[in-house]
Structure formats: C-alpha cells, structure tokens
Amino acid sequence: MSINSFGHLFRVTTWGESHGPALGATVDGCPPGVPVSAEDLQVWLDRRKPGQNKYTTQRREPDAVEVLSGVFEGVSTGTPIQLMIRNTDQRSKDYGDIAEKFRPGHADITYWQKYGVRDYRGGGRSSARETAARVAAGGVARAALDSLVPGIKITGYMTQMGPHGIDRARFDWAQIEQNPFWTPDAQAAEDWAGYLDALRKSGSSVGAVIEVAARGVPAGLGAPVYGKLDTDLAAAMMSINAVKGVEIGEGMAAAALTGEANADEISMGPDGPVYSSNHAGGILGGISTGQDVVVRFAVKPTSSILTTRKTISKSGEDTEIITKGRHDPCVGIRAVPVGEAMMACVLLDHLLLHRGQVGDGPRGNIG
Amino acid sequence: MSINSFGHLFRVTTWGESHGPALGATVDGCPPGVPVSAEDLQVWLDRRKPGQNKYTTQRREPDAVEVLSGVFEGVSTGTPIQLMIRNTDQRSKDYGDIAEKFRPGHADITYWQKYGVRDYRGGGRSSARETAARVAAGGVARAALDSLVPGIKITGYMTQMGPHGIDRARFDWAQIEQNPFWTPDAQAAEDWAGYLDALRKSGSSVGAVIEVAARGVPAGLGAPVYGKLDTDLAAAMMSINAVKGVEIGEGMAAAALTGEANADEISMGPDGPVYSSNHAGGILGGISTGQDVVVRFAVKPTSSILTTRKTISKSGEDTEIITKGRHDPCVGIRAVPVGEAMMACVLLDHLLLHRGQVGDGPRGNIG
Amino acid sequence: MSINSFGHLFRVTTWGESHGPALGATVDGCPPGVPVSAEDLQVWLDRRKPGQNKYTTQRREPDAVEVLSGVFEGVSTGTPIQLMIRNTDQRSKDYGDIAEKFRPGHADITYWQKYGVRDYRGGGRSSARETAARVAAGGVARAALDSLVPGIKITGYMTQMGPHGIDRARFDWAQIEQNPFWTPDAQAAEDWAGYLDALRKSGSSVGAVIEVAARGVPAGLGAPVYGKLDTDLAAAMMSINAVKGVEIGEGMAAAALTGEANADEISMGPDGPVYSSNHAGGILGGISTGQDVVVRFAVKPTSSILTTRKTISKSGEDTEIITKGRHDPCVGIRAVPVGEAMMACVLLDHLLLHRGQVGDGPRGNIG
Amino acid sequence: MSINSFGHLFRVTTWGESHGPALGATVDGCPPGVPVSAEDLQVWLDRRKPGQNKYTTQRREPDAVEVLSGVFEGVSTGTPIQLMIRNTDQRSKDYGDIAEKFRPGHADITYWQKYGVRDYRGGGRSSARETAARVAAGGVARAALDSLVPGIKITGYMTQMGPHGIDRARFDWAQIEQNPFWTPDAQAAEDWAGYLDALRKSGSSVGAVIEVAARGVPAGLGAPVYGKLDTDLAAAMMSINAVKGVEIGEGMAAAALTGEANADEISMGPDGPVYSSNHAGGILGGISTGQDVVVRFAVKPTSSILTTRKTISKSGEDTEIITKGRHDPCVGIRAVPVGEAMMACVLLDHLLLHRGQVGDGPRGNIG
C-alpha cells in the first residue's frame, strides 16, 4: 500500500532527497544467512556512480554505502537491512531561479500542485539520485539470488541511444563491459561516442532504450493476473524516474505479429522443454518458462538542457528558464545498473513468493 | 499486494476460471453513496461481451452481472461489493488434447510447472474471461469517479491492428463508437474490416495496440517513485492477459527524442498552467499535470490458431497441436473496454490516496 | 492491508451483509494440491450454524457453502478460491424501528456517522453472520495445514461464561465435543446450562471467554516486531465482532508476575527443547517455540436484549428501543469455531511466510 | 505485507538492532506541511530514555534523533521521513555466555531456531531499544494529528504494577506527569516506589498494565471487520515487545457482564450523541464513537533477572544462566510513551484512511 515501497516479500522502501543529508533503502524480508557487506554492495554502486566519464554528470559523489542494520558477522539476519548513502556534493548555491520557476518536463510543477511544498534543490525526491538506493538494495537481492539460484545472471545493456539502435547481428555479451554505454554492439559504441559528445557540447540531451536479460531463471516464478512477473517487472521499470515505456519480450512489436509468428514452439530437450524462439520474453501467463527473462524500457531525455524554454513561475507569470549545472546528456547510461537492480529485486521477490505458496522448486514435472 | 488483487485503497480482487461455475470481482474500498446497480454495470460488460460481431469469439455468454453485497437501496455502503458473473456457455466437450498437451504461447505449460495442477478447460484462470470481472469492477470505479470528479471521461480505442496503424490526422473521437474496432480513424476501420475478415477465415490471429485517454483528470494525482501514476498504470495494463508492452505518452519513442523535443513547455492560461504539447502523457514525476492522461498497450495475437504447431505433452513427448474452437482473430478488440476499466480503477485509487494523504484537491496554488 | 482482508500470503477477504443475497470469502494464496470440497468445508460451518440448540439464535440458515473457483478435480489450483453462502432466512419484516433508531452497543450509530448510509437489516456488515465466511475460509486453511504439517491440531473451547469460569483442574480435552458450550469442564457445562437458560428466558445476554490452543505447531513461525505471531493472532481475534480483549499465554495476568515466575525454563528433551511451563503461550519474541500456541479472547454480551434502553433517533431525538427477534443469549458459544478458524488462517499464513523467507522447516539446529 | 512495517496509509517501518550502529524508522505517507523537527521529536524520545531514574535501566543512551529526509524548511514534504538514532552505549564486553546459551523467556532461542543466525548482543532486534524508533515515529504522527484534529490528546499511564492496581476513585490526570511511574493515582505512586525499589535491589523484575486514552477523537474513524480500530490498536500494542494482552474499553471483563450492564445508553447532547458510560472504549463496530478511545495492555516482567535459571546451550546441553547487566526492574514504565506513540500512529492512519474513502469529516448527520 505504501507509495515508496516495492515488492511483496522482499520489500524495498527508498527514502531521501537529492540534496538532503542522506538517502537510502530499508530492505525487509531478505532471507537469513546471505553474505552482505558494504564492500560487496559498493561494487554495484560504483557502476552507477556519476562522474566516471565525460558522458555522465560531473557531480562527484562517492556514493559510499553504509550497512546500518540487519547484518551480523557478515551475513543477513532476516531482519531489516538499512542501507544509507550520505550526500556529500551538495554545492551551496543560489537556487532562486528553480525555487520560483517550474522546469518544463520536470516534476517541479506537479510536486508543487500536489503537496504545496517541495524540496526544489536538485529535484528532491524526483532526482535520479533516488536510484542509488535501488542499486544498493539490488545488490542485496543479487547476493540472495546467488545463494538460492546459483548460476542466475542478470545483465543490462543499452540497445538504442536517441534514434540509433544496435544491430542485433553484432550482439556480443563480452562487449557490454568494454564501453561506457554498456552496449553489446561494439560498432554502436563507437558511433554513439561521437554522437553523444556533440550533443553534450551543445548542451542538449537524448533518450535511450535499455534491455535487461536474466539468464538461468527457473521455470515457475510469477503468478497469474495481478502478480504476473510481467506486471511486477513493468511496475519496477516504470517506477524508475524518466522511464516512459516498458516491454516484455517482443513488446509493442507483438501487435504487428500473427499468432503463427508470435507463439514460441516447444520441443523436448535433454533437461526439459526447449523453445524455438523467445517472443514471450521468458514469461507465459505471467510465469517464467525457464528461458531468458527479457525486459526493455525507454528512458526519456533529461529536461535539464542549456536551451531557453518557456515556463511559468509560482506566481503564475509566463517566463523562461535555462537549466545550468551538471547534467547527464544521456541519463539512460546510468539507468543500466538501475534496471539490473530492479530485475534482481523482482526475481528474488517472486522466488520467495513461489517458495512461500508452492515450496521449493516447480511442482509439476514434465516427462 | 496480494497476487490476485489490484489497487491500494480502491482494491479489486478478481476470482474465477473460464469454465468454472462463475467468476467475479471483490471490490473493496469504494466510497459510500455511489449509485451502483447491476443494470448500470451491465452496460460496460456488454461492450466487452463476446459474440457481438464476426470479429470476436462466437462463444455466447450473456455475462450478466449480479451485485451480491455492498449496495443498499441503490448506493454503495462503503463495504465490499461482490460482483458475480455466472459462466453459462461451458460446452461439455472432450478436453483430452489440451489436457495432455501444452499449447504454444499459452500459460498451459507454466501453470503446470508452477502448480502441478491446472484447470485446462478453456485456459482456466489465464483465460481472457477473467477480464469480464475487471470490466464490472471498472464500472464501479467509473460511477465513483463520476460522483467525485464530474466531467472526467475515459475513452479507449484501437490505434494499430497487426502492422496497420491509424493516421493521427484522421483522429475523430466521434468515430470510436461507430465501428466494431473502436478506432477513431474511419478509414482504418474500413481497411481493417477486410484485413481481419481474411485473417479470421484463414484461422490465424493478429495483435493490436490500444490507447486509453482520460480527459478531465485533476492535477496532483499520483505519488513519487513506486506510487507513480505511470507505475500503477503500467502494472494495470500489463496485468491484462496477452499484453506485452505499455507506454505512457511518448512511450518507447521518447528514447529517440532530444530534451528540446520532449519537454512540454508551460504557459499560463485562464484556468491554470497550459502545456504546448503532451509528450509526457499527462504525468510528470509520477503525478498528473491536468492534461489528458494517455496510456498505450500492445496485445499479442492469440495463440489459439488453426495451424498445426509443434509442442510437447505432459509426459515429455514431442507432438503437435491445433487449437480448434471459438476464438478471437484479434483479441485486442475486446481489450478496449478492459483498458478503460483499468484506467478507471487506477485513477479512482489515486484520487482516494491523494485525498487520504493530502485532502481534497491539490494543495499548491499557482498564481 | 485492505480493510476487509486478512493475512499476508494466505489472504482472506470477506464480503456480504446479514440480509443481502449472499456472503462469502475470497481466499487468495492457498497452496496448490490441497484437497478442498464443499462437503469438507460444510463440516466446519455446521459447528457454527445457528439454531442447533436452545442456547443459540433460532434463525435457521442452512449456511450451505458453494465453492465457485480455485478448485479443480477436488484440489486447490493455487488460484483464488471463492466461497459463497446464500442468505436464505431473510424474513420480510418491518425494520422501521431499527432503521430510524440506533441500538445501544451496536454499530448502527457509527456506521451511520461514518458512511451516511447503512444496511440496517440485521446489522448488515457488522452482523455475526460475517463470521460464517471466516469459518469457511478457516476450513481451507485447516486442509492446507493438514497437508503441510501433519499432526497439527487446533481446538477452541469456552473457559468462562459470564462471571463463571472453568476449573482448570477439571480440564478434559475429550469433554469439549460433549456439551453445547464446547467447554473442557463437564461440571461447568452443567452449571452453565441452568444459568444460561434463565438468562435466555429473561431476554438478557452475557459475555464469555474463549481459548484456542494449537498443538503440534513447529518452532520458528512468526517474525519480529510487527509480524509477531502474537500481533497477528491479536488482530485476528480482535477483528471478530464483539471481541474486546485478547491474551497470549499468561495474558493480562503476566502483569502481576515476577520475572522468576513468568519465564519458562528450558531443558533438553529427546526431540529438542522442553519447557518447564508455558506462560509464554508458545511464542517468544513473536516466534513459535514448539509448545502449544494459546490465545484467549473475551466476547462481550450481545446488546440485543429484551430490556428497554435509552437511545436516540437519526433525527436526534431522545427515545427508547427494545431489540426483539431471534438472538443469542451467549454469542460467545458460536465464537468458538470462529476463533479456531482465525487461528488456522494465522498459522497457515505464517507457515507460508516462513517458507518464503527462510525455506522449509526451521533453520537453526540445537544439539 | 511487510513484517517490519505498521499502518495502511501512514506507514512506519522500524529497523535496527540494540547493539548495531544505529536504529530508526522509515515513515511513509505523512501528510505534507506538518511541522517536523529533531528538537520536537526529541521531547518524546526523552520521555522514554533509559537511565532517568533508579527505576529504569542504567544504560545511558542520549537517543538523539536525526531527521535524514522528508522534511524541508521545517515541514514535511509528503515524502518518506527517515528518523535515525545512533547507538552510542555499546559497551564492549564478553557476550560469550549469551552467545552460547539461550536466556529463558527471551527471543534468543526462537530467533536461532527460525533464522539459524542471530545478533545476540543485547537481544538484537528483539530488544526494547526497538521501541525508541516507534516513539520517534509517533512524534511525527502526533504533529500531524495536531494539524488535522486540533484538540486531540493522547495520554498513557500505568494502572497496575505487579499485583498492585490503582484505585480509580483517585484517578487524577494532573498526577500523571508528577511521578516516575506515570500513574494517575498519587497514593499508588508512593506505594509502588518502595515496592519496586525492593524488587530492584533483589535483582528481580515485575510486569505492569498500561492504559492509553485518546480524548477528542472524532466519530467515524475505523472500518468494519479487519480494519476495525480495535483490530489495529490490538495489533499495534501487541507488537510492542513483552506485551501479552490487549483490551479495548471493558476488555476481558466484558465477558462477565450482561447485555444490560455492558451497552452504553445514548442520549442527545448539545453537540451530538452523549453516552451514559464507556464500556465500549470509544469504539462500536470498529468505528470511533467520539468518546475517549481507551486501550490497555499488559507488559510481562523482563526475563533478565539475577536469579539463576535452567536453560540449554546451542549445542543442546542442559545448563544454567544468570543475566547480569543493566536492566529495567519494571520495563512497563518505559512502555508508557511507546503505547502513546502507537495510539498516535493508529489514529492518524485511520484518519487518513477515512479521509481517503469518505472525505473530510463524518458523513452521516444526526439531528
């Protein structure tokens, strides 16, 4: 019911604003005995950290995570794990302009209209900084998944930057860690570098599409109707700020297919059912098939650009605004580890839900 | 949070299988004093009812809804409203084939793997019949919205059938009720009629894209992060069976835009803020702006087709299957009223949530 | 979390009014493969059924339960189980008096003040008839517990009627089914018979204390803080209408004890820890110890009595009221199977929660 | 669903162990615009703080609360409020004995059995220190209630220490703040002082009964069945560690009353309904009547006593244990502000729930 929480049994509540003293995640429902440490979580946070190359915001935050509870002698105790990240790079500056004017494409105006009060410093709660807490929580989820489903592998990557998509024929898992865009297409990485550099210099921004694939997911996770794995993945990804579209498997393109083209045929393999294709994105009727679970989401371009835009002030006067400061030309880059974290949280949550209702492992055998 | 429930304060739990005695919705949290009657709800159910024209399944169900509780002397009492629809057209037939074999693209195999038991008659819980219960519940939500936000208007329509999209230049709200596809483009309706007829005769099927727009939504509904209006709309639409993609406003296309192109500029109108465009789909930072709230979803083609497909049996043998029987060549048509119902449920839920936390109306004034 | 639902993973939503067409329970989260049938559930309902002897209301309802969904070929499928009970004994009568006046000690006045509308026929939602739905749902919980924890045994019994308590020295499990009061003290049963008969003839009513014991509960169920087994048992019992007090183990009497007297000493038995006593009621830190789980609750006397009482009318005038009709002189009698049902629901829910977070069985071994 | 959270719309999740770096509360759903500051919250924490007199544990913790998020320029923003309290008095000592042996009456053994790992230092999550986080969260709830329902007043007080109850004839609200036991009976305070001093010197402990009354609660809060105000109050109080019984109004004593004695008669006063008595504890059918809401709970004696007790070790051997260290002879004293905090959280939550479903204020007028 809570509006800042996510998950059924593995339940994450994030808190904190961009320019407050700290932000973090309260992680409830982690299985006991999972190895958790600040060092291990830091690895994931470092992937999302700003200021790592010229393509991301130059805000410099160490994003050092502290584990305040729920871990004893190196393992989770089954009680709430509190993860805190101090905000350190809160430059004292004059916020007058954004305190009085609403930035187009930002949450400024709606927060104001809804609440009648808003923390205008850096976007407050609607800032992309909120996603640091998700990545920390996702690190806990990954550790638990590693314990419970050895071999599960969650990988995010960029498949489109602005209008430029990757060529699936060049898809290479090994490339993903080799370029600043986390793209599996080496050629695209090269092309995008120049494209984004020009965009950055012009003070503009652009959107992106991120895909997250989970390999090694057992069959049977998810549940019918409102607990469909697709439902929770859609909610998880759409809850990331700036995301405006989510697709499972074939996604929006499924609309154009015939039943013959879309349905993945089944045959019997040595270890169980084998599918001729994966239009379904690894999910049928809301439940995992054992194929790769594939979700994709679009991140809109950040509205913080150097071009003057028309807007209004709190007092209702027409005016203009330019958003100066340190911003990501393609905020989608840093959304890759965030998408991975959300996938990890959803899968762990459904693993625990399945174990709760049905017990360990799938229940119906084939063959 | 429950896996067959949806919503925070206005909470709908659907129940029932395609070929069981009945199905329905338990609706909790409806405000008191809302006019509710079986007759009024029937209007919405009749829009979704199968067998209305040659483009939808020939299964003939009256889908008559009964109101079993929560209504007294014509109005809601604030206690749970139970809506029941009897299944009447359960032809007794030999289910042997689908009892033993898994239909490709269906939930048959995953339900079996997960639960070790499944109601194979007509898809059981994964049947599109489940959506009748949503439409009934959506009728209650619409009635409550009409009481609380006079003038709110929720309209669904088809914008793409198979590979054929509408021409937005021909968009006409008045056309939507004039053709069997609920499309605002009269020319598309004509073209699709021939296309779908041929497809139907060939025993094939095709996907579709549905858009649902809500006009007259007040600013301030929704909440940050996991309670974003976009998050709950994405979950609502993705929970409809056969849906594989969801978009808010610009959706996946937002990835290709620059910040200049995507952000809707703001100016002051006589009644408050006015936007130069609606790329955001009426939602900023998860909170409604007062513009039209626009969501779009893709429905995959039904996998019940007359072409022989490769599959396996419960005993693990490779085999083939043809799905005979009465099926929708484009199940997306009947998804239109379902999408409307989900929009109504989400908006009412967020209206109540907002009223709970903040009180009546938005809190921050402009001007 | 919904206001008409109970439970985390095994989640029961009851619906329906005393004099509407039907009432029932939507049961979500039942494990698959559990034997469920209307016949088996009817056994539990018959224990609660009114009109069985002169000590309970003479309203005659068969309380026949129908299973509308979630069961296929005799076992649960893991999808929602809808249990419906038709109301059949809705005498058409003049409700004028209770429609206009508020009965003291009843929910009439608060429902009216809160909602501005109420189903005054027989108390509507606040009627004890609501508990029939709980008993039906509890029957499903019992069946699931029998599958998952063979040997578990849940027994309710009356320990006090009006001012007359049982003598614990005469406690005999075998007596419980032998008298109309479900009391383990045969002498008390005899004494109470005369006491209650006189009370009934005078048109008065009296309260009672019910105890419910669960034997064979494994150690490790429950969770810290807000998920304490005591917390959920307290909520479960307090949610039964007319209940005004709940105790775990020593209960309110724990206040008078010293630490020496209250703490149960531990020694090692052949099958694990053995306790010298059970002041804790089988729960330490919110988690079951393996001892009997013991909860006790007080049911207030029904306010429907033949004595004239002062009250007010809807129009705000001082007036008087007598509640004629068929009522229970000691409604606590019929609360016994209700308490058992709630205990079954709570234990199953926590069994599933434990299995979800921790896996099957307890995790820490002793010895 | 979460096991460390409490509340529907105003939702508190506590986290942290007795001897970890910190503990706190994540408070979600607070209305915007409520004045919140560390200074104001500290006032409530100081009431619960240990070491204030010889009757409470000599552990010395400043219990200084930090507000890490959700507050901007002195008022709540409507986003999550993170309240953190550093643990400062974690004496480094040899925990060997309690690491290997289970203290009778403590959660040591059940945490171990459930999770297979436990933070044995000071009881970890099951420590009374967890209640500091509740008091902080309750401070936020009180501030919100003050904004929304001016005049509401929540007061806790001790009505029984060990076997010694107060004399209701001497009840004086003004006395409550005048003695270290928060009792309204000055004579009892005097008697208890000697009694508890002797008990403390002997290294023993004793239980207590706390009553919490809320005056000025509007009619109409609460909801039927599982959302009854009594249900949530019972859960709230029972979730406090060491609590074993909860009563609303007449409580367990209601069992001994007749319908004539128990039902509060109603007459019309100048400002609405007036009741002849308050056996109901201000709640009918789960909904507040406008009378004082009265809840009472029993706190068991702490099991940390200086007497040797029989127990077992992790390796399953019979042994003995004495709990040395700094402990409360009557932990019930410090439970008074905790009970107040829980009452504040429940009332605010139901105020928001009511406003969400029904709108501001009650809906049905009388007269």
Side-chain angles (χ1 to χ4, degrees), chain D residues 188-211:
Chain D
E190 236 172 87
D191 299 345
W192 296 352
Y195 169 74
L196 194 61
D197 213 28
L199 209 74
R200 182 178 61 81
K201 285 176 183 154
S202 74
S204 185
S205 67
V206 78
V209 175
I210 313 299
E211 190 168 287

Side-chain angles (χ1 to χ4, degrees), chain C residues 19-37:
Chain C
H19 284 62
L23 53 81
T26 309
V27 178
D28 199 6
C30 184
V34 174
V36 175
S37 70

Side-chain angles (χ1 to χ4, degrees), chain B residues 9 34 77 95 102 107 111 113 157 194 207 267 273 279 296 309 354:
Chain B
L9 281 185
V34 174
T77 60
Y95 290 98
F102 304 113
Y111 270 57
Q113 287 180 300
Y157 41 88
S267 60
H279 297 287
R296 212 159 31 251
R309 305 285 292 167
H354 177 79

Side-chain angles (χ1 to χ4, degrees), chain B residues 277-309:
Chain B
S277 49
N278 190 11
H279 297 287
I283 308 173
L284 284 174
I287 299 171
S288 61
T289 61
Q291 290 191 280
D292 291 358
V293 173
V294 181
V295 63
R296 212 159 31 251
F297 57 93
V299 179
K300 71 175 183 181
T302 177
S303 310
S304 300
I305 47 178
L306 283 180
T307 307
T308 301
R309 305 285 292 167

Side-chain angles (χ1 to χ4, degrees), chain A residues 17-55:
Chain A
E17 283 80 31
S18 170
H19 284 63
L23 53 81
T26 309
V27 179
D28 198 8
C30 184
V34 174
V36 174
S37 70
E39 294 68 37
D40 291 349
L41 298 179
Q42 197 61 46
V43 173
W44 304 113
L45 277 160
D46 287 348
R47 290 164 62 90
R48 182 205 153 278
K49 202 168 61 177
Q52 300 195 104
N53 58 49
K54 62 181 173 183
Y55 305 113

